[in-house]
Amino acid sequence: MKVNKKALIFDMDGVIVDTEPHNMQQVYAYVRSLRPEVPVGEMYQIVGRTSKDVWTRIAGIIGRGMNWEETRRDYEENWKPWHPYPVNYREIFRKESLTILRWAKEQGMLTAVASATAYDKVKAILTEVGVLPYLDLIISGESVKRSKPDPEIYVKAAERLGVLPQECIAIEDSTVGITAARCAGVTVVALKDDRFGFDQSLADGKIAELREFLDWYSQS
């Protein structure tokens, strides 16, 4: 990490807010209502991906002959209203992310979130937890043609920030997110998570908790 870093990019789900268990459990309950024999491990592949990728995979797992849009609509209209799963984002917010963002601003770094989640949802969550004012950019899965693990979202984030990918550092957790950042040429630090079988071997560094990031950065 010898190149001077000019930008810090966060993933959101699983990093700033620990949404992944909640999101996966609700979708898994839907899948099991149709195919009770499906093991939870089949769901790990959806973590960190765009809505289209998630529901394409879910449609394949269910095997009812519906495409991804029909499957998502069935979930949203026919199942979810009767099985609410409210999420308190403030309760699962990792407050250390604010400390890191404030530090980045003090260093003169640009800040961004690069998330596979839809833009409106990303903005709403980041507003609720108080992160939005510290960001220069939000880039979502809707902004790219190819989702993570393709590097496009990180290449585009660097471009919009006006820096080179090599001048960026990212904090990610999922296999697809780490792969996307690394393939873009971004230095990537993995927030360890043993719940979903993530492969974090491509990360330049690993931290057990967000609060360890600043020590890692200063020593790298």
Side-chain angles (χ1 to χ4, degrees):
M1 203 182 71
K2 300 301 182 183
V3 178
N4 182 41
K5 301 304 178 186
K6 297 181 179 179
L8 172 65
I9 306 174
F10 271 90
D11 178 37
M12 184 184 75
D13 293 293
V15 178
I16 293 177
V17 283
D18 190 24
T19 53
E20 287 166 345
H22 300 265
N23 295 339
M24 193 186 73
Q25 287 167 15
Q26 188 174 29
V27 175
Y28 182 49
Y30 166 70
V31 170
R32 288 202 66 196
S33 72
L34 301 169
R35 285 195 60 198
E37 76 279 12
V38 174
V40 69
E42 287 289 314
M43 307 301 295
Y44 294 167
Q45 62 185 319
I46 73 173
V47 178
R49 297 182 182 272
T50 63
S51 179
K52 181 179 179 180
D53 284 347
V54 167
W55 289 104
T56 297
R57 290 167 184 270
I58 295 301
I61 291 171
I62 292 172
R64 298 174 67 194
M66 296 189 297
N67 64 29
W68 74 271
E69 291 174 305
E70 292 167 334
T71 304
R72 183 176 66 178
R73 187 160 55 248
D74 181 56
Y75 169 76
E76 294 286 350
E77 297 177 2
N78 301 325
W79 191 86
K80 190 176 179 180
W82 307 103
H83 302 84
Y85 198 86
V87 179
N88 186 327
Y89 293 108
R90 293 184 182 180
E91 286 185 356
I92 58 174
F93 170 50
R94 292 193 171 107
K95 298 179 178 62
E96 297 91 341
S97 58
L98 277 178
T99 301
I100 296 170
L101 286 166
R102 292 186 184 112
W103 166 85
K105 288 299 183 184
E106 291 171 0
Q107 306 306 307
M109 297 171 71
L110 297 165
T111 56
V113 161
S115 172
T117 301
Y119 178 84
D120 287 345
K121 186 173 182 180
V122 173
K123 186 176 180 181
I125 292 173
L126 296 178
T127 299
E128 182 175 338
V129 299
V131 164
L132 191 66
Y134 296 92
L135 297 174
D136 296 297
L137 173 71
I138 295 174
I139 184 164
S140 72
E142 299 164 318
S143 305
V144 295
K145 295 179 180 178
R146 298 172 300 278
S147 59
K148 299 176 184 179
D150 191 279
E152 182 183 1
I153 194 167
Y154 275 101
V155 172
K156 188 163 286 189
E159 182 180 282
R160 290 189 181 179
L161 290 170
V163 298
L164 298 172
Q166 293 79 6
E167 296 174 319
C168 300
I169 185 166
I171 305 177
E172 277 277 5
D173 65 326
S174 68
T175 305
V176 294
I178 292 166
T179 302
R182 183 65 182 271
C183 290
V186 172
T187 298
V188 55
V189 176
L191 179 62
K192 292 180 183 179
D193 193 326
D194 298 324
R195 295 171 293 182
F196 308 110
F198 291 150
D199 178 0
Q200 299 184 327
S201 60
L202 289 180
D204 296 283
K206 296 180 183 180
I207 54 176
E209 298 178 11
L210 275 184
R211 60 182 177 82
E212 297 176 6
F213 172 78
L214 296 183
D215 286 339
W216 181 90
Y217 187 91
S218 65
Q219 295 169 13
S220 59

